[in-house]
Amino acid sequence: MGLKNKIITKGFVVAGLMNLSVLIFSRFFTNSTIPETDPVVMSNFGLLMIAVWGLAYISVAKHYNSVTWLVAVFALVKLIYGCIWTQWILNNDIADVYKKDTMAGMFYSVYGINDWLFFVFFLVVFITLLTTKKKAIGV
């Protein structure tokens, strides 16, 4: 495994750990401010599914080159969450969330930035995998 592969593998692990951080921000689903602030996307079930996606990212960290189209799905998921966060941030006052709960305010401040960054990461990995495989088969 070359240096580039090690960095990409670490990227998948970091993406997973960032998703698993919802357990900290939500205080293991006991922080009521997060789901009250966005009950559709950030319900306790939604937070649990974010953690599950994090486990998925970690699970393929060393085998990402075998699951090209799953990496595309990861990029799509991050794109969706990034768009949802952008819409939320444009239509809400983050200061109101901080007044209710600092951890929830921190969560809403950063989760979308994280999703946009990892959208780019997964998209670049996906494109790299596609072009590498095309070159390997002579297309």
Side-chain angles (χ1 to χ4, degrees), residues 19 26 48 58 60 63 79 83 97 102 110-111 120 129-131:
N19 270 46
S26 72
L48 176 62
I58 293 168
V60 301
H63 309 286
L79 173 64
C83 289
V97 182
T102 302
V110 300
Y111 96 76
V120 171
L129 290 170
L130 269 186
T131 57

Side-chain angles (χ1 to χ4, degrees), residues 24 100 110 114 130 138:
I24 295 166
K100 293 179 184 175
V110 300
N114 173 73
L130 269 186

